[in-house]
Amino acid sequence: MATTEMESCSSECRSEPGTGDGDSKYPLKVLYCGVCSLPTEYCEYMPEPAKCRQWLEKNFPDVFARMTVGPAEKAPKRETSTGDAPPAVEEEEKKKQKRGGRGQIKQKKKTVPQKVTIAKIPRAKKKYVTRVCGLATFDIDLKEAQRFFAQKFSCGASVTAEDEIIIQGDFTDDIIDVIQEKWPEVDDDSIDDLGEVKK
């Protein structure tokens, strides 16, 4: 009994006035755009509706002729020239984002002076930690440098900030020679010893 009620309901729903076209046949066949992968009636809401219209006009001209895509000024202009698109248009297409979402904005690299600073920071009683900043300006991997310092001085070392390594212990006297020995691109003029500083 339940199936007959459902069948009768579905046939009634189809025949109700105002619910759709009278000549519609079920199941509906929906044409999906090859550019944006949405049904063709939603192409106008995509970032580049002109490409969708061109695809529809090229692949399904009869559907394109039936659809009212918008005002004539928004309709794609036919290319009269034969061959590929001009290089300026191709370049512009490469710059644009293809799908939804927010594009990644490339940040300009700030020109930071290449300077390594070494400081001794007091802890409790007569204990100190050594802070090394600026190794990243020389394109030195901080994780690798941290492991090297920990092994060289037999102590704990950690990367604490974007360009800062903290070494447990007072190694300000030895660390300058160790840095120049391990990374020869860091010369003596670009290393600055700040002495004892407060945190």
Side-chain angles (χ1 to χ4, degrees):
M1 254 197 170
T3 55
T4 55
E5 288 175 16
M6 287 175 57
E7 288 172 8
S8 64
C9 175
S10 60
S11 62
E12 288 171 12
C13 296
R14 287 186 195 147
S15 62
E16 283 182 15
T19 57
D21 296 336
D23 60 339
S24 296
K25 294 183 181 178
Y26 293 92
L28 294 176
K29 291 185 180 178
V30 179
L31 176 64
Y32 290 94
C33 178
V35 178
C36 65
S37 72
L38 290 175
T40 52
E41 56 266 15
Y42 293 106
C43 289
E44 64 184 290
Y45 302 111
M46 292 306 293
E48 296 176 357
K51 284 186 178 181
C52 297
R53 281 190 227 113
Q54 287 175 354
W55 178 86
L56 187 64
E57 186 177 18
K58 180 182 173 187
N59 295 315
F60 298 97
D62 55 329
V63 176
F64 181 78
R66 280 189 288 145
M67 288 185 70
T68 55
V69 184
E73 63 210 29
K74 286 189 177 179
K77 295 173 185 167
R78 293 283 266 170
E79 290 183 21
T80 53
S81 63
T82 57
D84 294 340
V89 174
E90 288 177 7
E91 219 173 275
E92 187 177 320
E93 287 177 7
K94 287 180 186 176
K95 289 180 185 177
K96 287 187 179 179
Q97 190 176 348
K98 296 292 182 189
R99 295 291 299 228
R102 188 172 175 193
Q104 293 181 350
I105 300 167
K106 293 182 181 177
Q107 294 180 348
K108 295 180 181 176
K109 287 188 174 180
K110 297 176 183 175
T111 54
V112 179
Q114 291 187 328
K115 198 104 176 135
V116 176
T117 57
I118 298 167
K120 181 169 73 168
I121 302 171
R123 274 186 7 182
K125 298 184 183 176
K126 291 187 177 186
K127 296 189 178 191
Y128 295 95
V129 293
T130 306
R131 182 180 67 194
V132 181
C133 296
L135 287 176
T137 59
F138 288 94
D139 295 327
I140 296 171
D141 185 26
L142 293 181
K143 286 286 186 186
E144 181 186 322
Q146 171 251 321
R147 278 189 235 111
F148 173 73
F149 290 141
Q151 186 177 16
K152 180 74 176 175
F153 299 120
S154 300
C155 65
S158 61
V159 179
T160 55
E162 189 176 310
D163 191 12
E164 180 181 86
I165 298 175
I166 298 289
I167 306 164
Q168 294 178 4
D170 180 13
F171 300 107
T172 50
D173 300 333
D174 304 330
I175 200 155
I176 295 172
D177 298 330
V178 169
I179 289 173
Q180 289 176 343
E181 184 182 304
K182 175 73 175 170
W183 298 285
E185 66 266 17
V186 183
D187 58 341
D188 196 31
D189 297 334
S190 57
I191 297 177
D192 204 11
D193 190 0
L194 303 177
E196 188 175 328
V197 294
K198 297 285 183 188
K199 218 174 195 184

